[in-house]
Amino acid sequence: MGERIGSDILLKAEELVKSAMKGNDASHDAAHVFRVRDLALSLARDEGFSASPHSMFIVELAALLHDIGDYKYLRDPSEGKIVENFLVEEGVEENAKTSILSIINGMGFKEEIGGLTESTRCPEFGVVQDADRLDAIGAIGIARCFTFGGSRNRALHDPQIKPRSDLSKENYMNKDEQTTVNHFHEKLLKLKTLMKTKAGQRRAEKRHKFMEEFLEEFYEEWDGRA
C-alpha cells in the first residue's frame, strides 16, 4: 500500500473515530483513542517496528479503530461491523485487514481472562494492547475509571462489597453489583504484569505505583484516618 493511500486511510479513520464515539462518556471517547494511538506508535518505535512502514500502519490503524463497536456502548448490533466495513470500503489489503481485526478482537481484558492464546496474536498486537492498557492505569486511568463508574451510576466504594476473585469472562462483563474502586482490584492493578512488551512494562511501573498510592490515600480518607 502506498504511503499516500495509507495516510488517507488514517485520516479517514480519525474522522470515523470522532463520529462513531461522539456520544460516549469521556472514559471511552475520541481523546482516549488518540492517546492510545500516540502511545502505540511510541511503544512500536521503542520495540523496533519503525523499520517497517507496514507494521507501523497496522499499529496506528488498529489503535485508532480499537474501541469502535465496544460492547459497553453498542446502541445497535450493526455497530459491531463498522470497523470491518470500513477496512473493506477503504481497500485495506487482506493481510493487514486480518491483522487489524485480530488485534482489535483479542486485545480486551475479558478476552485474556477468557483464555485467548498466544498463537492468535500478530507481532503488532502487543504494542497496541499495551498502549490501551497504559491509558487504563496511572493518573489518566484513575480519571477514566471514575468517569465510567459515574456514567453507570455506580457507588464509589462500599466496604461490604468485596472485589471478585477468579473472574471468568462472563462474570467480569457483569458489573451490576460492583463498585468503582473494586475495578482497581479486579482489573487495573493486574495490568502491569500483563504487559506484552518490554517498553510497555517499563512505562507501566510508574503508573501502577501512582494507583497504589492513590488507593492508600483513598482508603485513609474514606475511613477518616487522613
Side-chain angles (χ1 to χ4, degrees):
M1 179 176 292
E3 185 176 337
R4 187 190 63 78
I5 295 173
S7 179
D8 287 346
I9 292 172
L10 292 170
L11 288 173
K12 289 180 181 178
E14 290 180 0
E15 293 306 312
L16 179 62
V17 167
K18 293 173 186 176
S19 62
M21 304 182 74
K22 188 175 181 180
N24 292 5
D25 64 82
S27 71
H28 292 79
D29 60 0
H32 158 67
V33 169
F34 297 145
R35 287 193 305 270
V36 170
R37 184 264 308 275
D38 293 344
L39 277 167
L41 290 174
S42 179
L43 292 175
R45 287 189 288 270
D46 287 351
E47 292 291 312
F49 283 92
S50 54
S52 169
H54 178 74
S55 285
M56 295 299 282
F57 174 75
I58 289 174
V59 166
E60 184 165 6
L61 192 52
L64 283 170
L65 300 176
H66 82 276
D67 259 348
I68 294 176
D70 187 324
Y71 76 98
K72 299 185 293 297
Y73 295 90
L74 283 183
R75 293 166 283 265
D76 183 278
S78 65
E79 294 181 3
K81 287 286 188 181
I82 290 176
V83 170
E84 188 170 356
N85 291 342
F86 173 82
L87 296 174
V88 171
E89 290 166 6
E90 295 303 321
V92 174
E93 295 168 348
E94 189 63 30
N95 63 340
K97 178 166 73 75
T98 299
S99 294
I100 290 164
L101 291 174
S102 173
I103 291 169
I104 293 170
N105 293 331
M107 67 188 285
F109 183 71
K110 67 184 188 302
E111 275 69 43
E112 186 138 355
I113 59 177
L116 188 72
T117 62
E118 290 287 338
S119 62
T120 63
R121 297 177 177 142
C122 62
E124 297 82 9
F125 176 89
V127 294
V128 181
Q129 186 186 60
D130 282 4
D132 189 41
R133 289 179 169 180
L134 284 171
D135 205 58
I137 61 179
I140 291 285
I142 292 168
R144 291 182 63 217
C145 186
F146 284 102
T147 297
F148 183 78
S151 76
R152 303 302 165 101
N153 203 32
R154 287 192 188 135
L156 288 178
H157 176 51
D158 184 339
Q160 300 305 312
I161 301 176
K162 304 301 181 185
R164 298 166 296 177
S165 59
D166 300 321
L167 284 175
S168 67
K169 178 178 178 178
E170 289 71 25
N171 59 28
Y172 170 75
M173 293 171 69
N174 178 18
K175 298 187 176 73
D176 290 344
E177 300 302 319
Q178 281 304 307
T179 68
T180 296
V181 165
N182 279 357
H183 189 61
F184 286 88
H185 300 284
E186 293 181 353
K187 175 184 177 181
L188 305 186
L189 291 170
K190 298 177 180 179
L191 295 182
K192 183 185 77 166
T193 61
L194 295 175
M195 293 289 165
K196 302 300 186 299
T197 67
K198 295 295 184 185
Q201 291 164 12
R202 288 193 298 270
R203 298 195 194 193
E205 289 290 341
K206 179 182 176 183
R207 296 187 186 219
H208 182 86
K209 186 173 185 292
F210 188 88
M211 287 195 303
E212 289 182 322
E213 292 169 350
F214 167 81
L215 287 171
E216 183 178 348
E217 177 70 16
F218 180 94
Y219 291 128
E220 286 185 4
E221 292 183 13
W222 186 274
D223 294 338
R225 294 180 284 121

